[in-house]
Amino acid sequence: MTAPLCAQDYAEQARARLDPSIWAWLDSGGADEHTAHANLGAWPALRLRSRALRPLAGAHTRLTLNGRTLAHPILIAPTAWHGLVHPDGETATALAAAATGTPYVLSAQSGTAIETLAALPEPPHLWFQLYAQTRREDTLALASRALRAGARALVLTVDAPVNGVRNAEQRSGFSKPDTIRSVHLDGLSPPAARTAPPGGSPLFDSGLLDTAPTWDDVAWLRHRLPAGTPLWLKGILDPEDARLALAHGVDGLIVSNHGGRCLDTLPSTCEALPAIAQAVAGRIPMLVDGGIRRGTDILKALALGAQGVLIGRPALHALAVGGAPALAHLVQILRGELEVAMALTGCRTLADVDAGVLY
Amino acid sequence: MTAPLCAQDYAEQARARLDPSIWAWLDSGGADEHTAHANLGAWPALRLRSRALRPLAGAHTRLTLNGRTLAHPILIAPTAWHGLVHPDGETATALAAAATGTPYVLSAQSGTAIETLAALPEPPHLWFQLYAQTRREDTLALASRALRAGARALVLTVDAPVNGVRNAEQRSGFSKPDTIRSVHLDGLSPPAARTAPPGGSPLFDSGLLDTAPTWDDVAWLRHRLPAGTPLWLKGILDPEDARLALAHGVDGLIVSNHGGRCLDTLPSTCEALPAIAQAVAGRIPMLVDGGIRRGTDILKALALGAQGVLIGRPALHALAVGGAPALAHLVQILRGELEVAMALTGCRTLADVDAGVLY
Amino acid sequence: MTAPLCAQDYAEQARARLDPSIWAWLDSGGADEHTAHANLGAWPALRLRSRALRPLAGAHTRLTLNGRTLAHPILIAPTAWHGLVHPDGETATALAAAATGTPYVLSAQSGTAIETLAALPEPPHLWFQLYAQTRREDTLALASRALRAGARALVLTVDAPVNGVRNAEQRSGFSKPDTIRSVHLDGLSPPAARTAPPGGSPLFDSGLLDTAPTWDDVAWLRHRLPAGTPLWLKGILDPEDARLALAHGVDGLIVSNHGGRCLDTLPSTCEALPAIAQAVAGRIPMLVDGGIRRGTDILKALALGAQGVLIGRPALHALAVGGAPALAHLVQILRGELEVAMALTGCRTLADVDAGVLY
Amino acid sequence: MTAPLCAQDYAEQARARLDPSIWAWLDSGGADEHTAHANLGAWPALRLRSRALRPLAGAHTRLTLNGRTLAHPILIAPTAWHGLVHPDGETATALAAAATGTPYVLSAQSGTAIETLAALPEPPHLWFQLYAQTRREDTLALASRALRAGARALVLTVDAPVNGVRNAEQRSGFSKPDTIRSVHLDGLSPPAARTAPPGGSPLFDSGLLDTAPTWDDVAWLRHRLPAGTPLWLKGILDPEDARLALAHGVDGLIVSNHGGRCLDTLPSTCEALPAIAQAVAGRIPMLVDGGIRRGTDILKALALGAQGVLIGRPALHALAVGGAPALAHLVQILRGELEVAMALTGCRTLADVDAGVLY
């Protein structure tokens, strides 16, 4: 097996190494996977505009986010249970993130405590993902714990009040081994799985949705967090929701369709991004995930209005292939590809990247 | 073989179980199957609009049709001879329909008498399909018999005055066994098959079409039915025909292209629906069939103006795999998928479903 | 092998029976076959408009062309050397044409003399195809011979002043056996093959094109033919050429791209037809060939402005499979399919077929 | 193996003969090869307009470029190291170019010195490709050497200040054997490879781009070249860059995306050409490369505003299959196909080829 040269190489090698049920859990999308495929297809379908002979001396990929300078616009997306793909689990991810200056959005379903990652000799730049818990106080307690441990931003995921129709994962027979636990959720009143069991009693009649989070929960959390805590919403795909987010005082948006794992036939994030960028009009920063596999994809995401991108599945692919070094390698590949794309479209810095780089 | 998780799983398992000629009869479309395929492809091609954090407490899928409350907007479409795919035939269908609160549009070509189904301990909500017979009085006699047996609505199918070009079925060598009979048509003067035998004398020269039904037959029937009898037309695909239907006092329309089995290269029902909805402008209810395989398809049909959907082939697939329990399971799957789609597009009830859920 | 049910069935069975080089000669298109494939794909891509409950009594497919009544709008296109696919050659074609009331446009490269076909006990309705010969007098002599033998119309083919790039045929090693001759061209000064031999001296430097026909040759021929002789041009694909044809007093046009065999990446005839129909504005009749394989294709051709269609390759496919009876069967299939399509779009006669049958 | 009949035949036979790593070096595109494939797909997707019966006597393909008359509008594109595909290397290319009257743009990375080719008994019409060297004087020295040896034009390539992401080539393990050298670059200060090694230190931090060429380098070179030296820019893909080129006094443009080898997801040259032609407005000549495989492609390139085309990969394919005679054969094939296309679109000379030949 040759050395991986790009994100897709890592995906193929991960597939060859992983148990098929873990691969199905990791890689499959919701229902018929239209949205998961659309995510992958949309970025390459955009055409770039080549520019020749522009000055490139002093080129760099730096940006500022949440008041901090980042070396490049790539983040690790929150995904559950990294221990399923590599024995070092989230620790490997954290090491790679730290080594490459990559912010790491730790999943609420992490198998490793945020305190453990924060205590590494060289800790990464950590953000923490929240799901609204059944009891608001539990959500706040999670947030407070993450901030105490050093999380620099909170990311409330809002696009999955119910589980998606995950047929491919169901067919694979995937079930989480007991040795992997969502350690941050221990001791919290577990929210009932908000899903319709196949063939069982319908979801709506169960009353499960009576506790689904609403904008009121965002307002409640916003006001109880310490002043200055960056609160992001993840899973915004509609301009009207972006406007509501602005009205609720959030600090950033992650445009996402949950990797196409939740509701099938949603648009790709690439399609959805421009209208949201127009609604936000630069008032708060935006990140985007879903289908980012090349540096050219990153350049296009920035051209459409995002400040940066998150990689979810690709990070797990690299972890599965070679742990921390492989993930660090992947980030460097993507960063290098972004730099090539900037040079060939005549962009010296990320500030030069706008809609003008698109054909 | 794993347990079916979605309509497509039932299709694949049915194909594996059924005699190829029965599968061809059941599943194939007309001529080159462009329309049959278009039906399947059109719904997933529509993109949904994800909405976050909307209030979902008290969500339900209830609706009112023909003055009655239904638990959900899924009906069983009229298809011939269920005994070909399961020994219990239409009785199995009726049991599943009753168990899941699903209206069942009994085919004029049913192998089981409507009186038998109505006499079940827990009878389903029955509608009855009519084809215009060569003699108007025969059509009326069929209608009267169905109403006497308890049919709550009549569905006159108008899109098949001649048989379609069913090459795939012809190639399979399908022929109905004598043990399966269209019991409602016994004793009626049989209409000659209005089709051009391959290589034989052309259809037009035969005079067969001289007795094809026209709008006059609809008017005649409308005035002879008991007052208040819901009379629906099935097979409307054009706004001008919808306007004529309104002018003739029908109570509802089923937008259908006969599952792509009749005239090939008709548009998909998904494509045809919006213009018809505009012509009808809410004056009478509309249902749609053709290619509905997912809860997201149902949501989109409602968004385009239908009040509900019918499932034809999928019901036969489930029957073939496991009789009544399998069909009940399939209806629950579709209902559960619809609920997930409603929740993730922020719709608490069907009244919230309009064009705004489409991207 | 099952009995053929449609034109495509005949194509597949012909392919299985014929020598591969003859199949390549018969079925392949020019260069990369983009146009040949476009011809086939364009008709099915048009959507029809279903109409319900319209009066169909007395339906028929009759039309008038060149002052004569035809039973249906299907003609046999001129194609060379039928003896290559069936021992009875053009005689078989003529028998089938006569039996089904189908006009037969005899190719200038027929292996059977028009006098032989005209002398059959039941001769077909014959038209005769002309290519402009190097000497105008030769062209006129051919025309006169055909008229004397009973040809009711002349069809001057104008879209092939040079041979196309026939790579697939070249690769197959096809060469016409000496036993097959273009009997009408014997004794005429043979026009040099107007093509660039692969790797040889370029076409333009050869002077071969100095004798290529122009509109002047049409004018010359038009004035020398007996008054009232129907003169058609075949191979018109552009509205400007249609206008020139009108100005030169021709009696009808055949919209054709030579079956995609001549210049690759020309539009399909289906795409080209509407603009030509607009230019002609009904002043002279139009036929169209290229990709007609179903009755729905015929209906669409008429909807776009043609009075009828020609079948080229399909006729050879049927001949190869079963000689005259197979070809007669194919014509009946197409006619029957056309009748079904008319009935389901609510057209009682060809006069009812207009753009309104298209969705 | 049959004799090649078209450019694609040469490609397939070359693939069968060459070492896979050399094939990967030669034929692959950048990253996921979207642009490389788009180049190939775009020309055939354009439709031509067939014209009948136009006068073709005296037809020819001559044109004037850089003040000289050429027999046809096909040039050999600059590609590196022809010795990798044929033992005679660039000498074979030069022989074929001379034999067919084809200008040959010698690559800066030629393995054969321009003086050697110029000293052939029948030397070809030579142009010379330049890359901006790290030191401007080195670039000028190269230019002067080429002009002294008889180059009739200089072609400065501007679309590759950094290497593209050449994953397919990397996977193949390609490395240039030491026996092949870029003889014109010996003794020049070698520019460091401007690329990010996979997984290594990022490109931007290396300072490599501080010496990337800019428009100032074009201006510098323009003023130091002898008066009247034709200076072309290759790699222009944007109208704004075309305007800058005009402002810098260049004599011609080659619209190119480097064969899709540099930045992936650039538009095809076919897509990019019309806007550039509009910006240039005929003030200087333009050539185009990328995906030209048929005479119809050449006709379309001229119709979109180019004066001629270059063939890169196809020339290497032919060389690999049969050296100089094969390349000469390929040029004759393309020229013959162009002549057929001109004849069937009614163009007697290249001056007749304009947007009107496109449908």
Side-chain angles (χ1 to χ4, degrees), chain A residues 32 167 171 203 238 241 265, chain B residues 9 48-49 52 294 339:
Chain A
D32 300 310
N167 293 145
R171 275 186 209 106
L203 170 68
D238 188 82
D241 283 345
T265 73
Chain B
D9 287 354
L48 288 172
R49 187 176 170 212
R294 286 283 188 187
E339 292 176 348

Side-chain angles (χ1 to χ4, degrees), chain B residues 31-32 34 38 158-165 167 170-171 196 198-205 209-210 212-215 218 233 235-238 240-241 244 262-267 271-272, chain C residues 2-6 8-9 43-62 294 296 300 329 332-333 335-345 347-348 359:
Chain B
D32 300 310
H34 291 286
V158 298
D159 59 359
V162 300
N163 288 342
V165 174
N167 294 145
Q170 292 168 317
R171 277 188 206 102
S201 56
L203 170 67
F204 280 2
D205 292 352
L209 286 173
D210 297 353
T214 68
W215 286 105
V218 175
L233 295 191
I236 296 297
L237 205 61
D238 188 82
E240 191 54 39
D241 283 345
L244 287 166
C262 207
L263 179 61
D264 200 18
T265 73
L266 290 181
E271 291 172 83
Chain C
T2 60
L5 297 166
C6 62
Q8 179 60 19
D9 288 354
W43 299 112
L46 292 180
R47 295 280 169 254
L48 288 172
R49 186 175 171 212
S50 156
R51 295 304 305 270
L53 299 167
R54 305 239 289 188
L56 296 169
H60 68 81
T61 60
R62 288 190 296 276
R294 286 283 187 187
T296 42
K300 291 165 182 177
H329 179 219
Q332 295 295 62
I333 287 174
R335 182 179 172 178
E337 289 180 350
L338 170 62
E339 291 176 347
V340 169
M342 289 173 67
L344 295 172
T345 55
C347 298
R348 210 178 57 83
Y359 184 74

